[in-house]
C-alpha cells in the first residue's frame, strides 16, 4: 500500500491525472461507502476557508472516515508561536492523513518534509490549490466527454489568478488551444506564456472579450476581477464591465459550451446567465466533492477501481 | 600558464586561491558568499579592473586558503563567468570555471515575504531553472529570481 501527498498539480503525471478523473467519476456514481472505515483525517485550516473545508470534510464523511481539526489558526497553539513543523508533527501522531490550508506559500511542501503521513494541500497562499484544479479538470472532462483538443477561454484576472495558472499547466497533456482575455493590467504572466510555447500549446491573447472568441470556445473560464489588484482605480472603473458575461452574449455559442468559475463570483457573470444550461459553475463546485474523494483515497493508497 | 602568472602577480600570492573574472556588480556578493569577511588570512579584493572578456571585472585573492568545491560553486549563482585559480609556489596549479549546482540549499533568501522559508526556522532551497541568464526557483513557494538579483543570507 502506497500513500501519496498532493501538494501541487505538477506532482502528478498524465496517467495519474486520468486515474484521478476515473476515480472522481466512480465516486460520483458511488458517493457513500465505508472505504475509510477506521481512518482519521485531520483538516488543519491555519487560514479559514469554509467552502474548501466543508468540501473536504464531506468527502471524508461520505467515505466513512472521521475528521479532526481546526478551522482557523486562532484556536491553536500556532497563535502562541508554535512552529508549523511542531504542529504537523503533533497532529501526525493522531491521524492517517492531513489536509491543510495555510496563508504562507510553500507551507504544504514543507509539511511533507517533516512527517511521513501524506499531506493534501488545500491551498497555500497564492501558490497551489491542486484539488481546485482536479475539480476543474473533472468538470471539463465530464461535460465535454474528453480533455483532448479543446478551446478554453480564460477571462478576467489572468495575472494573479492561481486557478487559471494551475489549469493551464495541467492541460499541457491534452493539446488545448487557449484564449487569454484580460485588460492590460491583468494579462497572463510571461512565464505561463513561455510555458505554453515550450509545451507547444497554442494561445491567443486579447483585451477584447469578443463574439468570435465566445463562439469558438468549448469552455469559458471566468475569474473575479478584484479592485485591490489595480494600482489605478480609474483603470478598474474603466475595465470592470468589459469582462462581464451576459446571457445574450451566448446566443451563438457552441451548444456544448460550458461556463466555469471557481466561485465566489461577484458580478463578472450576470445573474441572467444562471438559468442557461451552459452555466456550469454551481455543478462545478459540486464536483469538488468527488474530486476530493478521489484525492483522499489516492493519498491513503486505497483504490476502489483496482478491485 | 606563464601569462596568467604575470596577470595575477599584482599582489603576488605564494599559495591560496584567486577568483577572477567576477562581474564588478557581483564582487561584493561573491565576497559574502565565500564567507571571507571574518577570515584572518591575507585577502586582496580588486574591482572595476579592465577585462577583455566581460567588461569590468572584480578579483578576489585569498592567501593560504583552499575552499571546498561546493563553496566555490556558490559563486556561479551570481557570477557564472568566474574562474577559480589555485596557487601553489606562485604558480597556477589548477584553473577552472565555477559550476552551478542544480540545487542551492541554505544560501539564498527567498524574496517572497509570504514564503514559508521566511517564517519558519528552516533552510531555504532553490532549483536552477535557467542558465543564461541564471534563474532559480524556490522549492517551496515557486517564486523565481535571477541569480544576479538573489539575496544572499
Ligand atoms: Zn520561497
Amino acid at each position: 500500500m502506497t500513500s501519496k501527498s498532493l501538494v501541487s498539480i505538477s506532482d502528478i503525471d498524465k496517467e495519474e491525472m486520468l486515474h484521478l478523473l476515473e476515480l472522481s467519476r466512480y465516486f460520483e456514481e458511488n458517493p457513500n461507502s465505508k472505504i475509510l472505515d477506521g481512518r482519521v483525517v485531520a483538516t488543519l485550516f491555519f487560514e479559514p476557508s469554509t467552502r474548501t473545508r466543508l468540501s473536504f470534510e464531506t468527502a471524508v464523511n461520505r467515505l466513512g472516515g472521521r475528521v479532526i481539526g481546526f478551522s482557523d489558526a486562532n484556536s491553536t497553539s500556532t497563535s502562541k508561536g508554535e512552529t508549523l513543523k511542531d504542529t504537523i508533527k503533533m497532529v501526525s501522531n493522531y491521524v492517517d492523513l492531513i489536509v491543510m490550508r495555510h496563508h504562507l506559500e510553500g507551507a504544504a511542501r514543507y509539511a511533507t518534509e517533516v512527517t511521513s503521513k501524506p499531506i493534501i494541500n488545500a491551498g497555500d497562499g497564492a501558490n497551489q490549490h491542486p484539488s481546485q484544479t482536479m475539480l476543474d479538470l473533472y468538470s471539463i472532462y465530464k461535460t465535454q466527454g474528453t480533455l483532448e483538443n479543446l478551446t478554453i477561454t480564460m477571462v478576467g484576472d489572468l495575472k494573479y489568478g492561481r486557478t487559471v495558472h494551475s489549469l493551464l499547466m495541467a492541460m499541457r497533456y491534452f493539446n488545448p488551444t487557449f484564449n487569454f482575455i484580460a485588460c492590460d493590467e491583468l494579462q497572463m504572466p510571461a512565464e505561463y506564456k513561455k510555458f505554453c510555447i515550450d509545451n507547444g500549446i497554442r494561445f491567443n491573447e486579447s483585451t477584447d472579450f469578443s463574439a468570435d472568441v465566445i463562439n469558438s470556445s468549448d469552455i469559458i473560464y471566468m475569474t473575479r476581477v478584484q479592485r485591490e489588484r489595480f494600482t489605478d482605480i480609474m483603470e478598474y472603473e474603466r475595465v470592470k464591465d468589459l469582462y462581464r458575461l451576459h446571457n445574450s452574449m451566448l446566443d451563438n455559442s457552441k451548444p456544448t459550451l460550458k461556463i466555469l468559475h471557481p466561485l465566489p463570483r461577484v458580478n463578472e457573470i450576470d445573474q441572467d446567465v444562471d438559468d442557461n444550461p451552459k452555466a456550469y459553475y454551481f455543478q462545478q463546485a459540486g464536483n469538488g466533492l468527488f474530486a476530493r474523494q478521489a484525492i483522499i483515497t489516492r493519498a491513503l493508497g486505497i483504490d476502489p477501481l483496482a478491485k | 600558464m606563464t601569462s596568467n602568472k604575470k596577470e595575477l602577480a599584482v599582489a603576488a600570492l605564494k599559495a591560496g586561491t584567486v577568483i577572477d573574472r567576477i562581474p564588478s556588480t557581483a564582487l561584493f556578493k561573491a565576497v559574502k558568499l565565500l564567507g571571507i569577511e571574518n577570515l584572518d588570512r591575507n585577502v586582496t579584493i580588486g574591482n572595476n579592473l579592465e577585462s577583455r572578456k566581460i567588461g569590468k571585472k572584480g578579483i578576489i585573492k585569498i592567501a593560504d586558503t583552499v575552499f571546498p568545491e561546493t563553496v566555490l560553486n556558490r559563486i556561479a549563482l551570481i557570477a557564472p563567468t568566474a574562474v577559480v585559480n589555485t596557487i601553489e609556489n606562485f604558480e597556477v596549479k589548477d584553473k577552472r570555471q565555477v559550476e552551478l549546482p542544480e540545487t542551492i540549499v541554505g544560501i539564498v533568501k527567498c524574496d517572497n515575504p509570504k514564503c514559508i522559508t521566511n517564517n519558519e526556522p528552516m533552510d531555504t532551497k532553490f532549483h536552477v531553472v535557467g542558465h543564461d541568464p541564471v534563474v532559480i526557483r524556490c522549492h517551496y513557494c515557486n517564486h523565481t529570481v535571477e541569480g544576479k538579483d538573489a539575496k544572499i543570507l
Side-chain angles (χ1 to χ4, degrees):
Chain A
M1 196 176 85
T2 54
S3 61
K4 290 171 181 169
S5 294
L6 183 63
V7 173
S8 160
I9 196 71
S10 55
D11 292 351
I12 54 174
D13 61 14
K14 181 179 182 178
E15 200 182 329
E16 277 198 285
M17 216 176 262
L18 291 173
H19 189 67
L20 280 174
L21 295 176
E22 286 310 315
L23 274 175
S24 305
R25 193 211 299 270
Y26 170 84
F27 287 120
E28 180 160 15
E29 289 160 3
N30 308 277
N32 301 308
S33 70
K34 292 278 172 220
I35 61 175
L36 291 195
D37 193 21
R39 307 297 182 104
V40 181
V41 176
T43 52
L44 309 185
F45 278 59
F46 298 89
E47 172 193 60
S49 171
T50 306
R51 188 183 300 268
T52 304
R53 185 172 58 81
L54 292 181
S55 180
F56 270 109
E57 294 187 352
T58 305
V60 175
N61 279 301
R62 287 197 178 276
L63 294 170
R66 300 257 182 163
V67 178
I68 64 161
F70 50 81
S71 55
D72 83 84
N74 291 332
S75 59
T76 74
S77 41
T78 302
S79 58
K80 300 181 195 122
E82 185 177 58
T83 62
L84 175 62
K85 179 181 175 178
D86 289 7
T87 306
I88 296 292
K89 279 192 168 300
M90 179 269 293
V91 173
S92 291
N93 291 325
Y94 308 141
V95 300
D96 303 297
L97 167 67
I98 295 172
V99 177
M100 63 179 280
R101 187 180 181 100
H102 205 289
H103 64 285
L104 293 174
E105 296 162 22
R109 180 74 68 203
Y110 179 57
T112 65
E113 295 172 4
V114 300
T115 175
S116 57
K117 297 288 165 65
I119 301 283
I120 294 174
N121 185 6
D124 58 333
N127 190 27
Q128 303 289 326
H129 191 9
S131 66
Q132 174 72 45
T133 311
M134 282 312 305
L135 80 86
D136 289 345
L137 289 173
Y138 183 56
S139 298
I140 297 171
Y141 182 64
K142 191 170 129 183
T143 59
Q144 307 297 314
T146 178
L147 290 176
E148 303 281 347
N149 309 317
L150 298 173
T151 297
I152 299 176
T153 297
M154 297 173 161
V155 186
D157 180 356
L158 306 188
K159 184 175 181 183
Y160 300 100
R162 125 187 113 175
T163 55
V164 293
H165 301 158
S166 296
L167 180 60
L168 180 157
M169 294 175 76
M171 286 301 296
R172 73 184 178 281
Y173 301 122
F174 307 107
N175 191 38
T177 301
F178 287 115
N179 295 308
F180 301 142
I181 310 297
C183 65
D184 290 331
E185 281 207 43
L186 299 177
Q187 295 278 326
M188 185 62 77
E191 64 172 300
Y192 293 102
K193 288 186 270 184
K194 183 176 182 299
F195 178 88
C196 287
I197 293 165
D198 291 348
N199 286 276
I201 298 171
R202 291 170 303 278
F203 66 90
N204 311 299
E205 204 173 14
S206 177
T207 55
D208 186 10
F209 192 20
S210 68
D212 278 352
V213 163
I214 291 169
N215 297 343
S216 68
S217 299
D218 297 303
I219 293 289
I220 296 178
Y221 199 107
M222 300 293 296
T223 62
R224 229 173 338 150
V225 174
Q226 291 164 280
R227 183 194 298 263
E228 55 269 28
R229 298 299 192 198
F230 286 80
T231 44
D232 179 358
I233 289 302
M234 292 301 285
E235 178 67 9
Y236 169 77
E237 293 298 331
R238 194 184 69 77
V239 305
K240 68 176 183 189
D241 291 330
L242 296 179
Y243 305 100
R244 198 167 167 181
L245 186 65
H246 299 274
N247 197 35
S248 58
M249 294 161 76
L250 299 172
D251 286 349
N252 296 309
S253 60
K254 290 189 181 183
T256 53
L257 169 72
K258 290 290 183 262
I259 314 296
L260 303 186
H261 188 297
L263 302 181
R265 111 183 110 163
V266 183
N267 55 15
E268 55 280 349
I269 302 176
D270 198 282
Q271 302 282 336
D272 71 3
V273 181
D274 294 357
D275 294 328
N276 191 319
K278 293 170 183 175
Y280 195 73
Y281 26 94
F282 296 119
Q283 294 100 309
Q284 176 190 2
N287 288 334
L289 174 61
F290 315 123
R292 290 181 174 114
Q293 286 180 308
I295 291 168
I296 288 164
T297 47
R298 171 188 176 272
L300 289 168
I302 299 167
D303 188 352
L305 297 178
K307 279 174 199 158
Chain B
M1 292 292 172
T2 35
S3 64
N4 271 321
K5 187 178 170 184
K6 194 181 163 199
E7 187 190 332
L8 300 175
V10 181
L13 199 60
K14 187 181 178 213
T17 304
V18 176
I19 303 159
D20 196 9
R21 228 180 277 164
I22 304 167
S24 283
T25 49
L27 179 76
F28 288 97
K29 271 190 176 177
V31 169
K32 199 173 176 194
L33 273 173
L34 287 172
I36 53 180
E37 285 147 310
N38 301 315
L39 210 62
D40 61 357
R41 306 294 160 80
N42 195 325
V43 176
T44 312
I45 295 170
N47 204 11
N48 297 319
L49 310 170
E50 293 302 325
S51 162
R52 267 174 294 122
K53 293 243 166 69
I54 61 162
K56 291 221 183 285
K57 71 171 182 180
I59 190 166
I60 306 172
K61 303 182 185 193
I62 311 104
D64 305 318
T65 307
V66 179
F67 293 90
E69 209 160 289
T70 50
V71 172
L72 291 169
N73 283 340
R74 289 175 188 173
I75 295 171
L77 181 65
I78 49 156
T81 52
V83 173
V84 178
N85 301 275
T86 308
I87 313 291
E88 280 176 30
N89 280 323
F90 299 102
E91 296 274 351
V92 177
K93 201 76 189 164
D94 180 56
K95 178 181 176 126
R96 65 172 193 88
Q97 188 99 30
V98 290
E99 267 177 64
L100 193 58
E102 276 176 35
T103 307
I104 297 158
V105 177
I107 301 163
V108 178
K109 180 181 161 65
C110 184
D111 69 354
N112 172 13
K114 290 185 69 190
C115 179
I116 186 71
T117 61
N118 288 316
N119 295 274
E120 279 269 316
M122 61 185 283
D123 276 343
T124 65
K125 186 169 169 182
F126 288 83
H127 303 288
V128 176
V129 293
H131 280 91
D132 190 20
V134 172
V135 177
I136 56 174
R137 166 175 283 137
C138 177
H139 174 71
Y140 297 97
C141 76
N142 291 309
H143 270 234
T144 56
V145 67
E146 274 195 40
K148 66 177 172 56
D149 301 325
K151 290 193 196 82
I152 308 305
L153 278 168

